[in-house]
Amino acid sequence: MATVSATDEETARREQHAKAMAAKLAQMKVPDDWKILPADPNYKNPLVRHFRHRGTVLTNYHLVNGCVEHWARFQARPTDIFVASFPKSGTTWLQEIVWRIVHGETGAGGKADTPLEYRFPLLDMPSAVNMEMRSVHEMDDPRLIKTHLMYDLLPPSVHTSGAKVLYVTRDPRDVCVSYYHFSRMVNYEKYRGTFPELRDRFVRGEVMHAPYREHVQGYLRHSDTVLCVTYEQLHADRASVVRRVAAFLGRPVTDDQVESIVRHTSFGAMKENPGTNFRHWEKKGLVTAGQEGTFMRKGQVGDWRNYFTEEEGDAFLKWANEPV
Ligand code: A3P
């Protein structure tokens, strides 16, 4: 696979951004309702710190970028479509399906090659300069928006506007494994602890967007209005999921369109597509090319078996399924 190298201009821009961010972080005032979590030396990015805020875990990047003010300013519209999830549950997969249904783009190429996060930006952070994400405030209707915020943290207008919300869940053991690799891959975390160390942190509710159980159960409790799908359903019968999503969005699809969307959202197709494999992250310095793999890593059901013993897997699942 060809690697994407940054131009001198991009490298200079990135270094300038890193310096500016370091200065902001050094001067950061921590409000009383942001409780700092104990520092974990396994995170090798010296700038990153984790905080608990309103029951969830965010970082100093959220704080200095003014995310709380950004959520308060956000006004949902009836035509908005949100794809929500706990990270590493299959968000990108469901987003790509939703985007293709809404835009009637069922084939390869075209706008589908544009990085998904520009087509379907994140609510949780204000438009991050370094990422060139579009601000959700500037988007045309219908806005497609991704979020990892817990149900109760969503701006209230999401619930009152008639906007549509979809949520994807995955076997929590596979979520945890995928999370471990993602934390190793992204330079804003550079996690270098062992898998069991990350797993224990996950259970303690100290990884970004934790606590896991509250996150999942918070959305599932609203499954009368939120369309909930699973990663495993996307594997087993993607055509049915595409039809369910299309019906939920009120956008009918033909059998041919379903077949084409299924084909172009296979793991292989999305790994090949630089827009869904986030290859531009290499240029942006968010990941280091070739070091810890690409976003589209394995895409399997049951990879947890390579990381947990049978007994550990059972205990983890029992923990994850306990009502909170
Ligand atoms: P793995 O790390 O197990 O490979 P998210 O988008 O919520 O961050 O989730 C990312 C996970 O979904 C990664 O899991 C990624 O490979 C997987 N994924 C994304 N698109 C997929 C697809 N088309 N088929 C299978 N898995 C996919």
Side-chain angles (χ1 to χ4, degrees):
M1 193 188 333
T3 55
V4 185
S5 52
T7 61
D8 290 350
E9 200 182 324
E10 276 156 355
T11 306
R13 199 171 77 93
R14 194 196 306 160
E15 280 169 4
Q16 204 179 9
H17 175 78
K19 266 195 202 146
M21 180 54 79
K24 267 191 188 178
L25 291 172
Q27 291 161 6
M28 183 180 81
K29 287 203 171 45
V30 180
D32 290 346
D33 57 349
W34 286 69
K35 300 283 175 230
I36 194 154
L37 297 179
D40 180 342
N42 286 324
Y43 288 94
K44 297 301 180 195
N45 176 352
L47 294 178
V48 72
R49 293 308 306 267
H50 294 85
F51 292 83
R52 203 175 297 285
H53 172 69
R54 290 177 62 196
T56 195
V57 176
L58 300 171
T59 66
N60 43 353
Y61 290 90
H62 290 89
L63 187 53
V64 295
N65 282 312
C67 71
V68 173
E69 298 75 16
H70 169 69
W71 305 339
R73 216 158 44 92
F74 180 79
Q75 274 302 318
R77 304 175 191 158
T79 47
D80 287 346
I81 298 168
F82 292 85
V83 166
S85 67
F86 190 84
K88 311 322 291 173
S89 301
T91 333
T92 311
W93 205 358
L94 184 58
Q95 282 177 272
E96 183 67 6
I97 289 171
V98 167
W99 184 86
R100 284 176 178 273
I101 292 172
V102 170
H103 289 276
E105 289 246 6
T106 52
K111 289 204 182 110
D113 283 355
T114 305
L116 183 61
E117 64 201 354
Y118 303 172
R119 298 182 264 138
F120 209 130
L122 184 68
L123 170 68
D124 316 358
M125 279 270 201
S127 170
V129 179
N130 195 37
M131 297 283 291
E132 291 166 20
M133 280 190 205
R134 287 185 69 194
S135 162
V136 286
H137 302 286
E138 289 161 12
M139 291 172 72
D140 297 327
D141 294 338
R143 299 188 297 184
L144 306 185
I145 301 172
K146 162 185 170 178
T147 184
H148 290 311
L149 295 184
M150 292 173 75
Y151 187 87
D152 291 338
L153 278 185
L154 290 174
S157 59
V158 175
H159 307 306
T160 54
S161 58
K164 296 213 158 55
V165 182
L166 299 92
Y167 190 73
V168 57
T169 55
R170 182 181 189 183
D171 183 320
R173 298 165 295 190
D174 285 335
V175 172
C176 189
V177 169
S178 183
Y179 207 116
Y180 168 66
H181 286 284
F182 186 76
S183 300
R184 293 184 64 83
M185 185 182 84
V186 287
N187 286 335
Y188 62 79
E189 295 213 321
K190 261 196 192 170
Y191 190 79
R192 292 296 179 267
T194 62
F195 174 71
E197 284 171 322
L198 191 280
R199 184 191 59 206
D200 292 349
R201 195 173 164 95
F202 191 102
V203 170
R204 288 200 305 273
E206 293 181 353
V207 296
M208 193 164 31
H209 297 295
Y212 176 80
R213 298 182 298 189
E214 285 78 351
H215 201 294
V216 173
Q217 292 174 31
Y219 278 92
L220 295 188
R221 261 197 290 278
H222 294 276
S223 58
D224 50 337
T225 53
V226 173
L227 182 72
C228 298
V229 307
T230 73
Y231 182 89
E232 291 73 22
Q233 288 163 352
L234 284 164
H235 258 279
D237 187 358
R238 193 149 66 257
S240 300
V241 178
V242 171
R243 286 197 186 89
R244 269 173 66 207
V245 170
F248 179 71
L249 298 179
R251 292 172 183 266
V253 279
T254 64
D255 287 349
D256 281 354
Q257 285 174 320
V258 172
E259 190 272 325
S260 188
I261 291 175
V262 166
R263 199 148 33 88
H264 289 286
T265 54
S266 70
F267 182 77
M270 286 180 58
K271 193 172 173 74
E272 276 300 301
N273 179 353
T276 46
N277 202 12
F278 300 115
R279 299 305 303 275
H280 63 296
W281 284 6
E282 293 164 20
K283 278 207 236 163
K284 303 282 170 213
L286 273 175
V287 301
T288 306
Q291 277 198 346
E292 295 290 334
T294 54
F295 183 89
M296 302 289 295
R297 189 184 65 91
K298 272 197 181 171
Q300 291 173 0
V301 173
D303 190 30
W304 64 268
R305 290 181 191 285
N306 296 313
Y307 295 82
F308 292 80
T309 63
E310 208 56 49
E311 226 170 52
E312 286 166 346
D314 288 349
F316 190 86
L317 200 56
K318 185 165 173 281
W319 165 81
N321 289 332
E322 269 163 16
V324 285

